[in-house]
Amino acid sequence: MFFAVTFLAATLFRSEHTALAASFVFMIFYPVATLFPPLNRYPLNIHHIMSGFAMPYFDARHALLVGPPPWALLVSMMAMAGVLIGLAVQVVRHRDYS
């Protein structure tokens, strides 16, 4: 997701500094936004999913998987990343680089 957002920002903004700032703001505010209702009811924080923090499928004390990973959530995040990359590709196609 982070790569897809950064790639889209790089295609939308002309300045590399603006794209960097937009990506940085997303990377800071995305995890913060998942802490507030109604998003806090769902395990949407990608940092927690990657680390296993407070996830029912991971026993942090023993560092073992104790249940199935959240495949539906992982697939939906991959799909969203694919959509964002597809949007970035469409933006690049419509630009005139001649």
Side-chain angles (χ1 to χ4, degrees):
M1 283 293 295
F2 292 135
F3 171 76
V5 168
T6 304
F7 186 55
L8 181 61
T11 60
L12 289 177
F13 302 113
R14 300 278 182 193
S15 169
E16 62 272 4
H17 301 295
T18 307
L20 176 66
S23 302
F24 184 73
V25 166
F26 174 78
M27 290 168 64
I28 295 298
F29 287 111
Y30 166 74
V32 172
T34 61
L35 298 175
F36 297 108
L39 295 177
N40 65 349
R41 290 183 280 179
Y42 308 106
L44 296 176
N45 191 339
I46 194 72
H47 301 297
H48 292 176
I49 294 167
M50 289 188 301
S51 68
F53 177 73
M55 294 289 148
Y57 61 87
F58 185 70
D59 180 14
R61 195 173 52 159
H62 296 106
L64 294 172
L65 286 174
V66 293
W71 290 114
L73 182 63
L74 295 173
V75 169
S76 65
M77 286 192 174
M78 292 275 294
M80 279 301 295
V83 167
L84 293 176
I85 290 172
L87 284 172
V89 167
Q90 291 301 319
V91 167
V92 170
R93 277 191 187 159
H94 291 291
R95 293 244 169 106
D96 183 25
Y97 288 106
S98 54

